Amino acid sequence: MKQTISAAGTPVPASVKLGTIFSWAMLFALVINLKKRLPEPWQDVIPVEKVEDVKICILLILCFFFVFVLAGAYDVMNGGETL
């Protein structure tokens, strides 16, 4: 038996989380929409075909961001010396 809740008079499955704005599926839909709006040669720049690809790309972006933050902190600690 499926549980449903009534939202604005419409039955909604209980598995739907109320108040969830961002999900991986919605982020995937946004990325695919962006990819489709790019000109044909540029569509290969975004290598996303499924939700797992979006998760990996986000993880890589966060790793690169963390590396640049650490490099900036190291530079600040050493007085911003240049070679």
Side-chain angles (χ1 to χ4, degrees):
M1 181 171 136
K2 293 185 177 182
Q3 295 178 347
T4 59
I5 3 178
S6 181
T10 307
V12 178
S15 62
V16 175
K17 295 180 181 177
L18 298 176
T20 302
I21 297 173
F22 294 109
S23 66
W24 290 113
M26 190 173 92
L27 187 60
F28 174 70
L30 288 172
V31 170
I32 290 298
N33 191 14
L34 174 68
K35 184 177 180 178
K36 288 180 181 179
R37 290 178 183 265
L38 290 174
E40 184 63 36
W42 288 92
Q43 289 182 359
D44 294 334
V45 173
I46 302 176
V48 174
E49 298 298 326
K50 51 189 173 188
V51 175
E52 288 79 22
D53 296 340
V54 173
K55 291 179 183 180
I56 291 172
C57 287
I58 296 295
L59 180 65
L60 287 173
I61 289 169
L62 288 175
C63 288
F64 283 128
F65 179 75
F66 184 68
V67 166
F68 282 111
V69 167
L70 286 178
Y74 177 78
D75 190 39
V76 167
M77 288 173 39
N78 287 331
E81 297 175 8
T82 59
L83 296 176

